[in-house]
């Protein structure tokens, strides 16, 4: 379990769902406004070949570490538990 | 309705605002141009707008008072910067490692269009929240050509074509988080596609067929108090109607429409205040520390916020900045602590 700078945690970096989010393999409508935009951005950039899946996954993970509280509702639906 | 207490976010008279400025407070100000022009230099930025919604009761058009948000006690540091359309894309690369950028743009000017068009590609966009508002004016004056203005309080200079930004630094144990409450959802009853980017539309594709949007709205008696909705970069974003131009048979919007994107009308909520209340309560139920909120002038007008309260106080806007340009959306900034 990843401990963040807040009371909230996010799933470990090696969970396969991280990669599935950035590649659009998860059918989920994000409640969080930033995740709506970022997931779309990752998919567009990966499709255009300007961003690798690995870099996108790392970027998303770091963003979610900072904003752990904001992603809890979406992540409980996607990751279920961690 | 459950509401979250927002401290240091209130409507004040001119003298009380001057006192805060003279005491070195770091402020975001909204008010009529004539009252903002009377303020002394200090650490503040401002935008013109004379419409306010109030927690304690009905909102009002008020050209004497100023809506003041005092961020001073939250911040470790802050700096004010002015941007034009040529360097606005640098807004998220300036500022601090941890904090937020509060931006005020003038309405319906080139810089407004530029922001709407290009902000999703700004470098470093999501590192810290980019929030703010589009300045406005008394609607009677605005439709006669009066321009909205932004103010750099450090010099007291005002601008019709430049953005002012407060880059704010938070302590390391805090993080700012930007959220929105959007009452409107896509109806998918009609698909609209536009032939070029812009705020003004004559011909467009209506369900794939070329036609005049003004005539389509008239013939189908579309209610223009409800926005168009489109998917912008993954988020459902409203674009609000400003007015129907009878003389030129065209439609004027509060945000640009973009070629290559599909728009639809929005599903009508039965009652704006009730719908807002339900969505806001759902969104804000776990919030502990909201430090700012703003709401669109159209929600004020069509939601009747001059006759009733939605449980929050704030200044209205001619558009909201939440990483990108929004319309008819309640926007707020929350602080999370470790």
């Amino acid at each position: 379990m990843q401990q963040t700078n807040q009371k909230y945690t996010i799933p470990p970096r090696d969970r396969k769902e991280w990669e599935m989010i950035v590649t659009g393999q998860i059918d989920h409508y994000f409640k969080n406004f930033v995740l709506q935009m970022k997931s779309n951005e990752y998919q567009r950039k990966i499709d255009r070949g300007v961003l690798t899946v690995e870099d996108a996954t790392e970027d998303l993970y770091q963003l979610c570490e900072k904003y752990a509280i904001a992603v809890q509702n979406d992540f409980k639906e996607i990751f279920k538990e961690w | 309705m459950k509401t979250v207490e927002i401290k240091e976010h209130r409507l004040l008279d001119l003298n009380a605002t001057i006192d805060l400025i003279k005491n070195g407070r770091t402020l975001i100000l909204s008010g009529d141009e004539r009252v903002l022009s009377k303020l002394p230099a200090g650490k503040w930025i401002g935008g013109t707008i004379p419409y306010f919604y109030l927690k304690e009761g009905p909102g009002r058009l008020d050209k004497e008072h100023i809506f003041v948000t005092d961020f001073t006690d939250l911040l470790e540091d802050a700096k004010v910067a002015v941007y034009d359309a040529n360097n606005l894309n640098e807004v998220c690369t300036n500022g601090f490692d941890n904090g937020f950028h509060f931006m005020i743009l003038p309405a319906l000017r080139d810089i407004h269009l530029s922001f709407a068009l290009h902000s999703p590609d700004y470098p470093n966009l999501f590192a810290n929240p980019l929030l703010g508002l589009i300045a406005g004016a008394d609607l009677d004056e605005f439709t006669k050509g009066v321009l909205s203005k932004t103010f750099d309080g450090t010099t007291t200079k005002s601008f019709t074509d430049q953005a002012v930004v407060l880059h704010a630094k938070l302590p390391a144990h805090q993080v700012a988080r930007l959220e929105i409450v959007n009452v409107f959802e896509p109806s998918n009853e009609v698909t609209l596609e536009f032939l070029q980017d812009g705020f003004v539309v004559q011909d467009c594709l209506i369900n794939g067929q070329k036609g005049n949007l003004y005539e389509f709205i008239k013939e189908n008696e579309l209610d223009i108090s409800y926005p168009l909705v489109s998917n912008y970069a993954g988020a459902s974003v409203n674009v609000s109607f400003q007015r129907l131009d009878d003389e030129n048979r065209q439609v004027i919007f509060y945000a640009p429409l973009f070629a290559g994107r599909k728009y639809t009308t929005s599903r009508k909520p039965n009652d704006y205040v009730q719908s807002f209340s339900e969505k806001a309560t759902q969104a804000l139920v776990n919030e502990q520390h909201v430090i700012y909120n703003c709401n669109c002038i159209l929600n004020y007008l069509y939601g009747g916020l001059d006759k009733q309260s939605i449980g929050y106080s704030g200044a209205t806007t001619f558009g909201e900045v939440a990483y990108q340009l929004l319309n008819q959306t309640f926007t707020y900034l929350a602080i999370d602590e470790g």
Side-chain angles (χ1 to χ4, degrees), chain A residues 5-7 29 32-34 36-38 40-41 44 63 66-67 69-70, chain B residues 98 126-129 175-177 179-180 233-235 322-324 336 338:
Chain A
N5 64 337
Q6 302 165 22
K7 292 170 280 188
Y29 183 79
N32 179 268
F33 184 54
V34 171
Q36 288 173 17
M37 292 182 284
K38 287 300 286 185
N40 183 276
E41 178 191 339
R44 281 188 292 118
L63 186 74
K66 183 172 180 179
Y67 295 104
I69 187 173
Chain B
N98 181 45
F126 294 101
N128 288 296
V175 64
R177 175 169 45 84
E179 303 282 3
I180 66 170
Y323 300 101
Q324 57 181 317
D336 299 323

Side-chain angles (χ1 to χ4, degrees), chain B residues 159-175:
Chain B
F159 309 96
T160 58
D161 293 278
Q162 288 167 280
V164 293
V165 178
L166 181 81
H167 296 290
K169 180 182 182 183
L170 287 168
H173 69 282
Q174 293 184 323
V175 64

Side-chain angles (χ1 to χ4, degrees), chain B residues 174-190:
Chain B
Q174 293 184 323
V175 64
R177 175 169 45 84
L178 173 54
E179 303 282 3
I180 66 170
V181 177
N182 186 2
V183 169
F184 302 99
E185 297 174 357
S187 73
N188 297 317
E189 290 172 355
V190 60

Side-chain angles (χ1 to χ4, degrees), chain B residues 322-337:
Chain B
Y323 300 101
Q324 57 181 317
L325 180 65
L326 307 179
N327 280 167
Q328 279 182 268
T329 306
F330 179 86
T331 306
Y332 68 91
L333 188 68
I335 300 293
D336 299 323
E337 299 200 21

Side-chain angles (χ1 to χ4, degrees), chain B residues 302-318:
Chain B
Y302 303 139
L305 305 190
D306 58 338
K307 300 179 183 65
Q308 53 196 332
S309 171
I310 52 170
Y312 296 89
S313 296
T316 64
T317 73
F318 275 33

